[in-house]
Amino acid sequence: EKGAPLFVVASLSPVWAVVDVYEKDLGELSEHGEVEIKSDTQTGERFRGRLALIEPAVDATSRVAHVRVILDNPAGKLRPGQFVTADLPLKNLFPTI
């Protein structure tokens, strides 16, 4: 249509990181806490985010569930499709007495 925008530029802040977690490890995840993300393209830099969702379904073939992490990305250094690694918050396995 004449005068209609050709495209819309999407904001990359915030972004999601979707992390695969093996089924056997899901019980050790804490639903609260900070997540640290590292990317090979941003050597030495760490990005902090929060765990937003542990998907309830496990993939039948790979036996992983997706965990969604929300990250602020004001400088646009993280991009959709990038591979990242994540340090996820774990439950307190050794409670104090």
Side-chain angles (χ1 to χ4, degrees):
E1 182 176 324
K2 186 176 181 178
L6 297 176
F7 58 89
V8 177
V9 177
S11 171
L12 293 178
S13 181
V15 294
W16 291 354
V18 179
V19 181
D20 291 339
V21 176
Y22 287 109
E23 175 183 33
K24 66 181 180 64
D25 298 325
L26 287 171
E28 295 181 26
L29 285 181
S30 173
E31 294 181 16
H32 307 286
E34 191 173 75
V35 178
E36 186 176 271
I37 298 290
K38 294 172 265 184
S39 169
D40 289 343
T41 62
Q42 302 295 327
T43 306
E45 196 160 0
R46 293 173 179 2
F47 302 90
R48 300 205 186 286
R50 64 179 172 81
L51 196 144
L53 173 71
I54 301 172
E55 289 188 358
V58 175
D59 183 272
T61 305
S62 63
R63 307 311 302 167
V64 299
H66 298 297
V67 174
R68 185 183 309 156
V69 178
I70 298 177
L71 301 143
D72 286 329
N73 188 34
K77 292 181 180 180
L78 296 172
R79 301 276 180 172
Q82 275 183 300
F83 286 100
V84 297
T85 57
D87 291 330
L88 298 168
L90 300 178
K91 292 179 181 174
N92 186 3
L93 300 177
F94 303 103
T96 56
I97 297 176

